[in-house]
Amino acid sequence: MTPTNPFRPTRFEHHDHPLIWLSPNVRLLEGLKSVYVAGTRGSGKTSLLKAINWRERLYNPTVRDQLGANPPDYVAVYFRLPDFLTSAIGLINWEHCFPDSPTPDLVGYEIFSQLIEFVGAQLICEAISSLRAAQRFSYSTNDEDALVAAVLARYPALAEAVGQDGCEGLDGLSLIFRRLHQRLNVLITRGQVHDALALSLEAQPGVFINELAARLRDLACAAEGSCSTSFHLKICIDDCETLQPVQQKFLNSLVRSTQNPLFWVVSYVSVDYDSTNTVHFNQTLSDADRTQLLLDDMGNSDFYRLCEGVSLLRVYYSDPGLRDTPLNALPRDFFELESLLGKVSINALLANQAQHSLSAEFTQLVERAKARDKRRGSNRVPSIFETYVLEKLGHRLADDREANLGAYLRRKNVAALLAICAEFRITNIPYVGATTIVSLSNGCIRDYLELIGSIFDEALRRREIRSVADLRQREVPLSLDAQRVGVRASSRAKLDGIRNIIERDWAEATRTVEFIGKLTALLQSNPNVESTLATPERGNFIFDLSLLDDDNGDHPGRRAFVTRVLRRCEADGLLRPARSDQNDDDEAHELAFHLHRRFAPEFGFSYRGPYGLLRMPMGEFAEMCVGSSETLDALVDRAYQRISRDTPLDHPKLL
């Protein structure tokens, strides 16, 4: 029987029993402060929010095995916004619905806030009740009934919703809140906005949920020793990028009204959410109100540990031979990326390619490298890329063992690899090794799982591995060929995934990816120009949108069109921001992006970087976006020639 690939499915939502690795970022969500979690799709936002959810902590063995016996000093609930909020609320014209109100948006805020508060109230009542049943809390039934009676007395509209049926305990109260937010959604969807407003409680937005949280905290902590002094509640809301701009202000305003013991964790795709503005004049959401966690800013070493931790969990829970071995009893070297994929130098990769190359010129380069090493008294792997760089850039130094020369050459090792492969027609560029695979993931855990999953499939096909058990405590890494073929297949699959969608937006996205991919590869690998090595691994592009203004050309609307294409590619993780000071609004004059690095094997550009900033020729780029009689390759060549003319060469200084 073919073993199951432990790295698939890659989406959290596609798992029956999600495997959640508790990364160090979990601690940032656990404090007495609201948190906004931003990241591109697939960066691990959902896993992070689920990691603190009471249900996962109580029932998910992958979380329990990592936590130990001590319960957290909070209870966190989780919901996806699209599952509980009708999209119709984003289409309401509040001024039209409430023409007599001096502030119609505040009426909209009241309805929106009430809906979110009812959802949160349902979930936290359900959580406290369930945790009592699980003996996490030990409050009395009398105290529970007293809380319910106090809430109903405080808000008569809730008592009316209860009616003759009565309300038994927190479970009954939770059902009331559930019926109310479902009713609100139905009324809003039908356009009965005034009826929806009538369901709202007589309280300012945020007051009801804060009061309820305080009562629930007191109930849960009634028994001595049940809670720490910092015990609190959290409401985690996922997929908030689905909110319209005015709704984002509503949610920000609700978060700003937070009072201990209630805090919010809000998750969204980085580019699609305004995390600052509120509905209140001269009041914004600041760092004093919430912490911002930007997953896209995760350092290379932190992301490497994330990939390794997620992989360890998947291998452990996929191996039936480990069912009797506790997670915390695994040896330290149970799963190591470097043991699985190896650590290979650029020269070792080139030497491996030389064994299979039919190019006499490449063989001669290797021989010259060996002669150079012999003169220098070195018997290590031939210094192929160093020899190539020195010959190409024309540096003839009497003594090339200077320390700064070594550092200078190392900065150009990947550029040399790409140029050598291009010059000597080596088509199978070896994207292999642990650090390379992690770098190709571009900070996205989903892309990492797609890459490593594809490598697993190829290694299985070659019979280098026969089961999941062969992934742990390896003494010999998987072959370079298995990695290279697997990585190339994963890269092509990412491109085919957007090519195969027939909608117009995706056709434009596909052309954009292919244009930037081919242009980046040409800039980074053309062996016939000195800039390839002198200013290596260029691929960060500035898009000057002001050049597309209607008064600067004969094609009205080009700026808005190109901006939409770029923003769409950014939101879907195809393009990654190239600088941190980038404006998120559609009126920005300049945007800066590079292509996601998982596309590197398909187009042949660097798995790291890119470095520096280049100005994208906007005429050619806009022509590609809107459609042109010229082929895409011809437009790429024109853009390359324009960059070559307009960008001064950064001549290196060695000493």
Side-chain angles (χ1 to χ4, degrees), residues 20-304:
I20 300 174
W21 183 63
L22 300 185
S23 76
N25 282 329
V26 169
R27 291 197 298 271
L28 301 177
L29 272 59
E30 295 184 319
L32 293 169
K33 194 174 181 181
S34 295
V35 182
Y36 276 30
V37 182
T40 52
R41 289 185 171 88
S43 58
K45 301 183 298 298
T46 298
S47 295
L48 200 54
L49 269 62
K50 284 277 193 174
I52 64 172
N53 180 26
W54 74 271
R55 195 180 298 277
E56 299 295 338
R57 294 204 163 202
L58 187 62
Y59 298 119
N60 190 327
T62 70
V63 177
R64 289 202 315 266
D65 290 348
Q66 297 173 76
L67 278 175
N70 295 327
D73 59 353
Y74 59 86
V75 171
V77 299
Y78 167 93
F79 70 95
R80 289 182 64 252
L81 202 60
D83 295 339
F84 288 87
L85 185 74
T86 172
S87 59
I89 197 170
L91 305 176
I92 295 173
N93 184 329
W94 300 108
E95 292 185 9
H96 176 75
C97 292
F98 301 98
D100 296 331
S101 171
T103 53
D105 276 359
L106 292 184
V107 181
Y109 172 39
E110 181 180 347
I111 296 175
F112 175 90
S113 173
Q114 193 65 82
L115 207 163
I116 297 296
E117 289 181 67
F118 281 155
V119 174
Q122 173 206 329
L123 296 176
I124 58 178
C125 285
E126 177 187 306
I128 298 296
S129 178
S130 298
L131 289 168
R132 178 180 182 251
Q135 300 182 340
R136 168 69 174 86
F137 302 122
S138 55
Y139 55 82
S140 69
T141 302
N142 288 337
D143 288 342
E144 181 179 5
D145 290 340
L147 181 148
V148 173
V151 171
L152 296 180
R154 171 74 174 84
Y155 297 101
L158 291 180
E160 292 177 15
V162 171
Q164 304 259 339
D165 298 333
C167 180
E168 295 187 7
L170 291 182
D171 288 335
L173 197 57
S174 177
L175 288 175
I176 295 300
F177 293 138
R178 179 181 180 181
R179 287 203 294 265
L180 284 169
H181 74 68
Q182 288 178 340
R183 180 63 178 159
L184 267 175
N185 271 318
V186 169
L187 291 173
I188 292 168
T189 302
R190 292 175 178 174
Q192 297 170 268
V193 181
H194 288 271
D195 292 337
L197 182 62
L199 285 181
S200 297
L201 305 181
E202 293 184 2
Q204 291 293 317
V207 170
F208 160 69
I209 193 67
N210 282 312
E211 287 183 357
L212 179 64
R215 293 179 187 273
L216 290 171
R217 187 266 313 273
D218 293 342
L219 176 68
C221 300
E224 187 175 350
S226 295
C227 309
S228 70
T229 55
S230 60
F231 180 81
H232 59 284
L233 301 169
K234 295 179 184 293
I235 299 176
C236 304
I237 311 180
D238 205 357
D239 293 346
C240 292
E241 71 277 1
T242 58
L243 292 174
Q244 297 290 333
V246 68
Q247 296 171 298
Q248 294 172 13
K249 293 181 181 180
F250 293 166
L251 184 55
N252 292 342
S253 304
L254 185 59
V255 171
R256 197 177 189 280
S257 71
T258 291
Q259 294 178 7
N260 194 330
L262 178 67
F263 300 95
W264 303 79
V265 180
V266 174
S267 165
Y268 51 88
V269 172
S270 306
V271 300
D272 291 330
Y273 193 90
D274 172 4
S275 62
T276 302
N277 289 310
T278 71
V279 296
H280 302 299
F281 180 68
N282 275 347
Q283 284 191 349
T284 58
L285 206 62
S286 68
D287 289 340
D289 304 304
R290 51 90 179 99
T291 299
Q292 286 189 297
L293 176 56
L294 307 178
L295 296 182
D296 293 342
D297 290 347
M298 189 184 304
N300 293 337
S301 59
D302 290 337
F303 183 67
Y304 189 99

Side-chain angles (χ1 to χ4, degrees), residues 61 64-66 312-313 316-317 321-331 334:
R64 289 202 315 266
D65 290 348
Q66 297 173 76
L312 182 148
L313 279 187
Y316 171 75
Y317 285 103
L322 295 172
R323 285 173 183 164
D324 297 327
T325 304
L327 181 63
N328 57 12
L330 296 178
F334 171 78

